[in-house]
Amino acid sequence: MPDIPGPGSSGGGIPPGPVSPRGGTRPDSGPWAGAAGRLTGLGVSQGRTAGPVIRMAGPPRLPAPHAVTDPGAEAATVVKALGAVAADLNERAATTQGEAAEILEALAMIADDPMLREEAEGRARDGLDAPHALDAAFTRHREALAALGGYLAERAADLDDLKHRAVAFALGLPMPGLPAPGHPYVLVAEDLSPADTAGLGSDVLALVTERGGPTSHTAILARGRGLPAVVACKGIMDVPDGTVVGVDGTTGEIAVGLTQEEAAEAREREHAERARLAASTGPGRTADGHPVKLLLNVGSAADLRPGAEGVGLFRTEFLFLDRKQAPSFEEQVTAYAEVFRQAETVVVRTLDAGTDKPLPFLGLPEEPNPALGVRGLRVDRLLPDVLDTQLDAIAEAARATGAQAWVMAPMVTTIAEASGFARRARAKGIARVGVMVEVPAAALRARRLLQEVDFLSIGTNDLAQYTFAADRQHSALADLLDPRQPALLDLIAMCAQAGREAGKPVGVCGEAAGDPLLAPLLVGLGVTSLSMAPVCVPAVREALAGLTLEECRERALAALDQVW
Ligand code: PEP
Ligand code: MG
């Protein structure tokens, strides 16, 4: 990883002193006491680090056309802009692998297309300024592609991204999209899509966004990568590029205007703390030896880390977020087998598409209320082949690797959905079949569900969203999404009780499972496993080892008694 450039800048446009939007005051002690200013958001992925800010630019706004005095110069700018876009994409392709590299190369070729260049140049020579000439040329090409229909029409949206990049260059603005400054940095954005987050390079030290909720999939992906992350941080987009900030992904605090020395110390401290926690190993146990399986939430084999007792949630949709073409059976077998080979037991979740995780290759229609629409297992109502192919691929990957594959469906609401899913999965030869409990209806019928399936896995992120009717991406509703809410704990307790009666496992795989303060409480409610981002495992193991089962139960009872 290259060095971070110096010297550290001052806090730029951020006012000194307490600037927390939540009324927080500026502490005069602690590791970043010398910071010029502070901002506060929601810490969603633990860890502390520091580095220079680079903001991810949004699409440029096209100003009103201006009178052109030198059409030749405008035409030259057009050519330069298209060349810069192609060069930037090719550079990214060179440092990326696999399909992502191929996509970047294909986009670079479009930017380099002589027909596009001639059209834009011609419009500039006819009197349009460079940004408008580019805009007009891209718009015409987009229309032509869209008119062809089919696969080419799907590529039309790619032209918008290229247009925004070329127009930004012509206006002298930073190109939209993920920055590639060539040194480690703190990525700041208004919001990030899961696809953006999945594509982050290794030079990103931390993420800070102005919008977003605590259990949004962007937060989950950051946690999966072990990147400290803060969302809902009002004012962060006003921090100028290059300003050195400290990011605390646990408290949500951002210290603005650190020196390079302070930043280097913060990174070293974090490194030492992670090394200390990583030294803890062994299965999950309370202080009196009650076993609680500690499992991993992963999106691909790249997320796997040693030290856990298996994979409790393999979010298969993360493999295909950017895809415009459906992944083939063979491709799926390869991806699943890669995880199966490296973990003893793996709970594979079938594709959970919809809301903030659109899978373009499914071609699902737009919906007025996507979170309440066709997502998760409900996609099967429209596209049954997708689930069949996936179950076949999971079964084949398990056979090929000799792994114990468990499979579960997301967003199950009724007993009929659970039994239909179980029947199809078992018919493919998958031995252990379960469902996620993410909708209150499923929790209320947990006992009956367990007559159909072998296990339950509670997705507290969605279960909170649907219990409290609070969008999990909404930063202003974080209190309603708090997993300590007694109504949510009641639902978890019902599921755990049903599991005890049936003698079947009931785990938690939502983000609550990875919180060292909440994990003992969930164990006290009776859950048998906790599945979390790999970075969370050591702290949860340490927390459980410090309490007896009885103490966990006392914590659970106290939490159920709280008035919110
Ligand atoms: C959940 O909803 O808690 C869960 C684990 O699924 P996801 O976060 O992927 O929706
Ligand atoms: Mg979910």
Side-chain angles (χ1 to χ4, degrees):
M1 197 183 259
D3 281 346
I4 296 176
S9 83
S10 73
I14 293 297
V19 287
S20 160
R22 283 152 213 278
T25 52
R26 176 182 158 180
D28 49 15
S29 62
W32 294 325
R38 260 164 223 276
L39 296 170
T40 313
L42 295 171
V44 293
S45 178
Q46 65 191 36
R48 261 204 203 130
T49 191
V53 158
I54 310 265
R55 285 169 297 180
M56 184 163 122
R61 200 168 303 156
L62 204 57
H66 67 81
V68 168
T69 49
D70 183 355
E74 298 298 322
T77 305
V78 158
V79 174
K80 240 166 114 181
L82 291 171
V85 172
D88 179 56
L89 292 165
N90 276 326
E91 251 173 56
R92 282 163 194 252
T95 56
T96 315
Q97 275 158 15
E99 204 203 12
E102 284 166 28
I103 292 172
L104 290 169
E105 278 164 12
L107 289 171
M109 277 173 68
I110 301 177
D112 234 0
D113 179 356
M115 270 169 66
L116 177 72
R117 191 167 50 241
E118 278 160 26
E119 163 107 32
E121 253 189 297
R123 290 193 179 240
R125 290 196 193 286
D126 288 347
L128 278 182
D129 61 56
H132 284 89
L134 286 161
D135 184 66
F138 272 108
T139 304
R140 215 179 87 94
H141 275 239
R142 190 192 204 290
E143 283 164 6
L145 270 192
L148 292 172
Y151 175 73
L152 288 170
E154 284 168 28
R155 314 301 308 178
D158 293 341
L159 284 184
D160 288 341
D161 179 48
L162 294 176
K163 176 176 80 177
H164 292 146
R165 288 165 179 273
V167 169
F169 182 91
L171 290 169
L173 299 172
M175 282 193 209
L178 288 173
H183 60 75
Y185 65 103
V186 172
L187 176 64
V188 165
E190 243 169 60
D191 207 354
L192 282 170
S193 71
D196 285 335
T197 315
L200 293 181
S202 58
D203 47 0
V204 175
L205 295 164
L207 298 179
V208 187
T209 63
E210 198 150 70
R211 298 207 298 265
T215 56
S216 63
H217 287 98
T218 296
I220 288 166
L221 278 161
R223 213 169 291 134
R225 294 268 312 260
L227 281 178
V230 174
V231 300
C233 185
K234 226 164 142 194
I236 192 67
M237 285 299 282
D238 299 330
V239 177
D241 285 354
T243 306
V244 179
V245 298
V247 179
D248 188 328
T250 308
T251 63
E253 199 183 348
I254 310 293
V256 183
L258 298 184
T259 63
Q260 287 292 348
E261 292 69 36
E262 285 170 320
E265 276 168 26
R267 289 194 297 272
E268 266 166 40
R269 265 196 306 271
E270 177 64 11
H271 193 68
E273 174 59 6
R274 290 202 179 201
R276 184 189 77 74
L277 281 171
S280 88
T281 52
R285 298 240 179 286
T286 58
D288 53 338
H290 174 72
V292 182
K293 275 200 186 316
L294 301 182
L295 306 170
L296 300 181
N297 289 356
V298 302
S300 72
D303 295 340
L304 287 165
R305 298 285 178 278
E309 297 164 72
V311 170
L313 171 60
F314 179 6
R315 288 182 164 104
T316 53
E317 66 281 356
F318 281 1
L319 290 167
F320 310 119
L321 281 176
D322 260 347
R323 298 290 297 265
K324 302 221 162 67
Q325 300 267 278
S328 67
F329 165 79
E330 291 76 17
E331 193 184 344
Q332 292 191 54
V333 174
T334 306
Y336 306 149
E338 216 182 326
V339 174
F340 292 173
R341 259 184 233 108
Q342 297 177 55
E344 244 171 63
T345 18
V346 179
V347 181
V348 186
R349 175 173 73 186
T350 54
L351 292 175
D352 183 24
T355 62
D356 69 328
K357 285 183 294 191
L359 294 183
F361 69 83
L362 292 176
L364 292 172
E366 293 216 348
E367 297 179 309
N369 286 312
L372 301 180
V374 179
R375 59 164 297 200
L377 182 63
R378 298 171 182 190
V379 171
D380 188 56
R381 294 164 186 243
L382 305 183
L383 304 166
D385 288 353
V386 173
L387 181 61
D388 279 326
T389 306
Q390 185 172 26
L391 290 173
D392 279 333
I394 294 166
E396 176 53 30
R399 262 192 297 277
T401 56
Q404 269 202 43
W406 299 29
V407 73
M408 65 182 182
M411 279 294 284
V412 169
T413 312
T414 64
I415 309 300
E417 283 176 349
S419 64
F421 176 74
R423 189 176 23 79
R424 277 161 75 187
R426 290 188 181 121
K428 310 276 183 197
I430 296 168
R432 306 278 262 166
V433 183
V435 293
M436 292 191 73
V437 175
E438 305 189 277
V439 181
L444 292 167
R445 304 284 286 153
R447 209 174 264 133
R448 185 65 187 78
L449 275 179
L450 281 170
Q451 291 176 17
E452 305 297 333
V453 296
D454 304 310
F455 67 96
L456 300 180
S457 184
I458 306 172
T460 44
N461 309 332
D462 276 314
L463 190 55
Q465 157 162 273
Y466 294 119
T467 302
F468 298 99
D471 184 338
R472 63 193 271 184
Q473 297 184 78
H474 206 309
S475 46
L477 304 177
D479 58 322
L480 293 176
L481 296 163
D482 192 315
R484 289 166 302 170
Q485 281 275 6
L488 183 73
L489 299 181
D490 272 338
L491 293 174
I492 296 172
M494 283 177 74
C495 295
Q497 173 66 20
R500 251 193 316 276
E501 288 168 13
K504 294 183 176 179
V506 173
V508 172
C509 64
E511 299 313 293
D515 182 329
L517 294 176
L518 280 164
L521 203 154
L522 297 171
V523 170
L525 290 174
V527 306
T528 56
S529 66
L530 298 168
S531 192
M532 62 203 83
V535 71
C536 302
V537 172
V540 168
R541 182 188 286 117
E542 198 173 70
L544 293 183
L547 294 166
T548 63
L549 180 58
E550 198 43 43
E551 285 167 334
C552 292
R553 287 190 179 131
E554 281 162 18
R555 287 194 178 199
L557 283 176
L560 286 167
D561 240 13
Q562 294 284 316
V563 174
W564 280 64

